[in-house]
Amino acid sequence: MVIRRNHYDAAFEDYLRAAKVPYVAVDEKRRALAQNASIKSLDFIVYSHQGPNLLVDVKGRTEISPDQRQSRRWENWATIEDIQGLQQWQELFGEGFISALVFAYQLPPNSMSNNLETLFAYKGSLYAFYLVKIDEYRLKMRSRSHSWQTVFLHQQDFHEMRQPVDTIIQS
């Protein structure tokens, strides 16, 4: 187990261990070189019992809802470097591997989602994990900030593309 300072990554790794899903945690301190170019590290290589194996970059987010009676908004932004790196990893690993962003949401204790989502408890907090395949994300991504080089999905697109991680990994 790689020592993780980021609680989102640690929660996702604990989820994988609890679900007995085989995985490799990538040491993010070092960047990989491929064909003399640096590639942004991914977080996990997750081996699937059926279907493709996953090359995962975990993006930690919090659920945002100004009023718990209103619909919630799921932040789903990433950097262009995240997207390009995952695409490169997918090409390098080849057939049988799919790159994906896993959005790990830490839910507040009073969240209306606590009754609606598949949740995982880690160190006193509840998390929901959603996966979006990188090829699908790239098709619908929009610029969020030119100066920060970030992109995002509109809420409707994200809602249509996201899949609870447990339905993908444990199928």
Side-chain angles (χ1 to χ4, degrees), residues 67-79:
D67 181 341
Q68 290 299 314
R69 294 175 302 238
Q70 296 177 353
S71 64
R72 58 200 177 275
R73 189 177 90 212
W74 301 98
E75 288 285 339
N76 60 66
W77 61 271
T79 66

Side-chain angles (χ1 to χ4, degrees), residues 56-104:
V56 171
D57 190 3
V58 175
K59 297 292 158 203
R61 305 287 181 255
T62 55
E63 175 192 49
I64 296 176
S65 177
D67 181 341
Q68 290 299 314
R69 294 175 302 238
Q70 296 177 353
S71 64
R72 58 200 177 275
R73 189 177 90 212
W74 301 98
E75 288 285 339
N76 60 66
W77 61 271
T79 66
I80 296 290
E81 185 182 33
D82 294 332
I83 305 304
Q84 291 171 339
L86 283 172
Q87 188 66 44
Q88 288 175 301
W89 284 117
Q90 184 170 284
E91 291 169 8
L92 285 169
F93 273 77
E95 191 174 332
F97 288 87
I98 292 177
S99 286
L101 293 165
V102 168
F103 292 95

Side-chain angles (χ1 to χ4, degrees), residues 50 63 83 125 142 162:
Q50 298 175 346
E63 175 192 49
I83 305 304
S125 292
R142 301 287 179 253
R162 73 179 191 181

